[in-house]
Amino acid sequence: YITDLNFIRFLYNLTELDLGSNKIEIIKNNTFANLNKLRILKLAINRIIDIEQDGFKNLNKLSILLLFNNKLKSFETKNSNELINLTFLDLKNNLIYKVKINNLTKLNNLFLSGNKLELLHEDYFKELVNLQKLDLSENVLKKIHPYT
């Protein structure tokens, strides 16, 4: 099992990285900063509880991000220029109760099923103008803000 991600910082030419089914708990700042050619990142089936603010720094070419089956309680795109080419984001089967995904104008598919979402605020999905598929099944939704 992989728990430490320091070894990947010198793999500059990677376009796809599969770190699924390991014991990763935290995505630290700048973990993938040297992997600016990366297009597909698979972090599914780990124990991820936290992604630090610059955890996805410099992943401007990333189009697919798989984070399903982890232990995330929230997911937020914090920087306006991170993940700008993301088209597919899978966050299903986490513990997410809060999500704020902004500035991902190319995102087509967003999977949030099997989480703990109770409420959808109006700012949760700002600017997702190309979203074609949104899966919110198997949550505990009680209220959806009218301008969501």
Side-chain angles (χ1 to χ4, degrees):
Y1 295 107
I2 296 171
T3 57
D4 185 346
L5 297 176
N6 285 329
F7 74 97
I8 64 169
R9 75 174 95 162
F10 302 110
L11 303 175
Y12 308 110
N13 291 311
L14 281 183
T15 57
E16 182 173 344
L17 178 58
D18 188 345
L19 292 166
S21 298
N22 280 291
K23 295 183 178 180
I24 300 165
E25 294 183 350
I26 297 174
I27 304 298
K28 295 182 181 175
N29 288 333
N30 302 308
T31 296
F32 305 106
N34 293 336
L35 306 182
N36 59 5
K37 295 180 183 178
L38 203 61
R39 296 186 185 281
I40 300 170
L41 179 56
K42 300 176 182 178
L43 292 165
I45 314 169
N46 274 286
R47 299 176 179 176
I48 299 171
I49 57 171
D50 187 36
I51 300 168
E52 293 183 356
Q53 181 160 346
D54 287 329
F56 295 131
K57 186 176 182 178
N58 291 342
L59 293 182
N60 298 330
K61 292 186 176 157
L62 196 71
S63 61
I64 297 172
L65 178 56
L66 305 180
L67 281 162
F68 62 87
N69 289 44
N70 277 290
K71 298 181 183 219
L72 290 169
K73 291 186 178 176
S74 65
F75 185 85
E76 190 173 339
T77 52
K78 297 167 182 114
N79 299 320
S80 60
N81 61 348
E82 71 181 15
L83 306 175
I84 56 171
N85 284 304
L86 205 63
T87 59
F88 190 99
L89 177 57
D90 193 339
L91 294 164
K92 70 179 169 266
N93 298 325
N94 275 280
L95 303 168
I96 296 173
Y97 65 90
K98 180 183 176 188
V99 62
K100 192 172 184 181
I101 300 172
N102 297 330
N103 303 314
L104 300 184
T105 57
K106 295 184 180 181
L107 194 66
N108 298 124
N109 295 279
L110 176 57
F111 296 90
L112 282 162
S113 61
N115 279 291
K116 306 289 183 197
L117 291 170
E118 289 185 27
L119 175 65
L120 293 183
H121 289 281
E122 64 182 297
D123 62 345
Y124 274 12
F125 306 117
K126 270 189 184 174
E127 300 172 24
L128 299 184
V129 294
N130 285 306
L131 196 63
Q132 295 173 8
K133 180 161 185 158
L134 174 61
D135 186 351
L136 293 167
S137 63
E138 298 179 41
N139 275 282
V140 288
L141 285 172
K142 295 177 182 172
K143 183 176 180 183
I144 299 174
H145 191 280
Y147 299 107
T148 299

